[in-house]
């Protein structure tokens, strides 16, 4: 019997002001660009897909109506840090205290278990992963195995067992990695975000197709501003790449996401939340 194939659609639910290259910048607008969140949910719901929404703790009360509505429709809530500070910028003890506080607040406010975590900037190490397990999380999804930002370290998963490409397990705790493909000697992330939005679409599409044909797990992620129809604030003094990251490819991203969903569907992928996937994998791996 062939192995079931799983696709997980996620969002890092954060305000525009949380974006790494914007954090210390001054700009006039008070834009949260949350219409991009609504646009993403619309694409998913048009396709009958439930998502995992990794949400910044301090943002959640400000968008509570949106989140409540999503949860009523079967989407799941997970944590994207207390206030979008990269975990590797914090001591392990500060990370523990803030994460515990945010997990409790989120789960109390929305009356739901919060068992998943994704680190800002994919900034995670084995020690902080262990803290997540101790705090009662069932999984993390910060493994990119690619070093794009200064807060990102290579996550040591040597004590984990690899279940599939991108999925690792240790003592009932899962690490769900994001996908990459090799092109001309370079690794390119193909799980969404800025990489898929800014990369030449024919090339990215080809790499995603190759992944879909050879792997049985795919995860997609992005941020609300990446689908906004509002004007993204112009910020002075940004580097060329950061300017590109904030402004390019936004209007055409929705169409690309729909194409990715279609490719996955044609190739027999089932769409699940990470919460569902951990339960499926628990059943597969637990002795009868
Ligand atoms: Zn983030």
């Amino acid at each position: 019997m062939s192995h079931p194939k799983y696709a997980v659609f996620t969002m890092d639910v954060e305000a525009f002001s949380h974006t790494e290259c914007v954090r210390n910048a001054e700009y006039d607008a008070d834009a949260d660009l949350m219409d991009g969140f609504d646009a993403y949910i619309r694409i998913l719901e048009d396709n009958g897909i439930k998502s995992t929404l990794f949400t910044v703790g301090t943002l959640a009360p400000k968008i509570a109506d949106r989140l409540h509505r999503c949860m009523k429709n079967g989407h799941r809530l997970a944590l994207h840090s207390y206030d979008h500070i990269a975990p590797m910028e914090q001591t392990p003890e500060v990370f523990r205290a803030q994460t515990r506080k945010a997990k409790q607040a989120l789960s109390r406010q929305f009356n739901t278990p919060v068992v998943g975590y994704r680190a800002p900037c994919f900034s995670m190490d084995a020690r902080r992963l262990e803290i997540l397990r101790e705090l009662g999380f069932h999984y993390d999804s910060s493994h990119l195995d690619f070093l794009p930002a200064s807060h990102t370290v290579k996550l040591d998963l040597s004590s984990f067992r690899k279940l599939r490409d991108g999925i690792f397990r240790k003592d009932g705790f899962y690490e769900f990695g994001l996908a990459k493909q090799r092109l001309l000697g370079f690794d390119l992330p193909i799980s969404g975000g800025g990489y898929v939005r800014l990369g030449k679409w024919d090339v990215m599409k080809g790499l995603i197709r190759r992944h879909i044909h050879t792997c049985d797990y795919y995860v997609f992620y992005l941020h609300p501003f990446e689908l906004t129809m509002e004007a993204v604030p112009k910020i002075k003094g940004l580097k060329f790449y950061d300017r590109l990251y904030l402004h390019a490819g936004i209007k055409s991203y929705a169409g690309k996401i729909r194409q990715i969903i279609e490719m996955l569907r044609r190739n027999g992928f089932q769409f699940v939340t990470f919460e569902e996937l951990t339960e499926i994998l628990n059943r597969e791996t637990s002795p009868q």
Side-chain angles (χ1 to χ4, degrees), residues 9-141:
F9 276 72
T10 70
M11 177 174 257
D12 293 357
V13 184
E14 59 193 60
F16 179 67
S17 57
H18 288 130
T19 310
E20 185 61 15
C21 60
V22 169
R23 253 172 69 191
N24 299 315
E26 284 183 19
Y27 54 97
D28 316 324
D30 186 25
D32 67 5
L33 307 185
M34 278 298 148
D35 68 308
F37 174 95
D38 301 334
Y40 187 55
I41 296 296
R42 219 158 31 238
I43 294 170
L44 298 184
E45 292 187 350
D46 284 352
N47 285 281
I49 296 173
K50 314 291 184 211
S51 62
T52 295
L53 302 169
F54 292 97
T55 305
V56 173
T58 52
L59 176 68
K62 299 174 191 161
I63 56 165
D65 289 352
R66 279 184 165 95
L67 294 175
H68 276 302
R69 190 196 147 275
C70 285
M71 292 179 61
K72 218 169 102 201
N73 290 346
H75 302 282
R76 299 297 299 265
L77 204 54
L79 185 63
H80 187 44
S81 81
Y82 169 70
D83 198 24
H84 212 264
I85 306 293
M88 296 305 292
E89 275 186 53
Q90 301 177 310
T91 64
E93 285 323 304
V94 171
F95 171 70
R96 181 194 297 273
Q98 291 208 338
T99 305
R100 178 194 283 125
K101 179 166 67 173
K103 182 182 194 290
Q104 283 173 351
L106 212 57
S107 110
R108 203 176 302 130
Q109 183 179 4
F110 295 94
N111 195 26
T112 186
V114 173
V115 298
Y117 186 90
R118 177 176 289 146
C121 309
F122 303 103
S123 166
M124 179 55 62
D125 69 350
R127 188 166 175 199
R128 287 161 181 79
L129 217 48
E130 184 57 25
I131 290 173
L132 291 177
R133 201 176 66 81
E134 288 166 8
L135 291 177
F137 286 92
H138 297 173
Y139 73 88
D140 172 70
S141 177

Side-chain angles (χ1 to χ4, degrees), residues 25-263:
E26 284 183 19
Y27 54 97
D28 316 324
D30 186 25
D32 67 5
L33 307 185
M34 278 298 148
D35 68 308
F37 174 95
D38 301 334
Y40 187 55
I41 296 296
R42 219 158 31 238
I43 294 170
L44 298 184
E45 292 187 350
D46 284 352
N47 285 281
I49 296 173
K50 314 291 184 211
S51 62
T52 295
L53 302 169
F54 292 97
T55 305
V56 173
T58 52
L59 176 68
K62 299 174 191 161
I63 56 165
D65 289 352
R66 279 184 165 95
L67 294 175
H68 276 302
R69 190 196 147 275
C70 285
M71 292 179 61
K72 218 169 102 201
N73 290 346
H75 302 282
R76 299 297 299 265
L77 204 54
L79 185 63
H80 187 44
S81 81
Y82 169 70
D83 198 24
H84 212 264
I85 306 293
M88 296 305 292
E89 275 186 53
Q90 301 177 310
T91 64
E93 285 323 304
V94 171
F95 171 70
R96 181 194 297 273
Q98 291 208 338
T99 305
R100 178 194 283 125
K101 179 166 67 173
K103 182 182 194 290
Q104 283 173 351
L106 212 57
S107 110
R108 203 176 302 130
Q109 183 179 4
F110 295 94
N111 195 26
T112 186
V114 173
V115 298
Y117 186 90
R118 177 176 289 146
C121 309
F122 303 103
S123 166
M124 179 55 62
D125 69 350
R127 188 166 175 199
R128 287 161 181 79
L129 217 48
E130 184 57 25
I131 290 173
L132 291 177
R133 201 176 66 81
E134 288 166 8
L135 291 177
F137 286 92
H138 297 173
Y139 73 88
D140 172 70
S141 177
S142 308
H143 180 50
L144 184 55
D145 198 12
F146 182 77
L147 301 174
S150 53
H151 314 302
T152 311
V153 297
K154 192 159 173 64
L155 180 57
D156 177 11
L157 293 171
S158 55
S159 60
F160 280 64
R161 187 160 69 91
K162 182 171 160 181
L163 300 184
R164 302 175 175 215
D165 274 344
I167 301 183
F168 306 83
R169 186 178 200 258
K170 181 190 175 184
D171 301 334
F173 181 91
Y174 292 90
E175 176 59 42
F176 293 114
L178 283 85
K180 61 181 186 178
Q181 282 281 320
R182 222 166 161 71
L183 180 70
L184 304 173
F186 292 98
D187 284 330
L188 289 175
I190 55 155
S191 277
Y195 305 103
V196 170
R197 175 165 56 89
L198 299 171
K200 193 165 162 31
W201 178 233
D202 285 349
V203 175
M204 294 313 295
K205 194 170 158 184
L207 293 176
I208 294 169
R209 187 182 295 121
R210 191 208 285 167
H211 179 90
I212 286 173
H213 284 152
T214 52
C215 296
D216 48 20
Y217 159 73
Y218 177 75
V219 56
F220 186 86
Y221 87 101
L222 84 173
H223 310 92
F225 88 88
E226 297 188 81
L227 285 176
T228 189
M229 286 294 133
E230 295 174 22
V232 176
K234 296 240 184 316
I235 293 164
K236 286 193 194 108
L238 283 185
K239 290 186 208 129
F240 172 74
Y241 176 78
D242 289 339
R243 255 199 337 268
L244 206 64
Y245 178 71
L246 292 184
H247 297 279
I250 288 176
K251 299 284 183 282
S252 56
Y253 210 3
K256 293 174 184 173
I257 295 169
R258 288 183 191 274
Q259 287 186 50
I260 294 170
I261 291 171
E262 193 44 46
M263 276 196 274

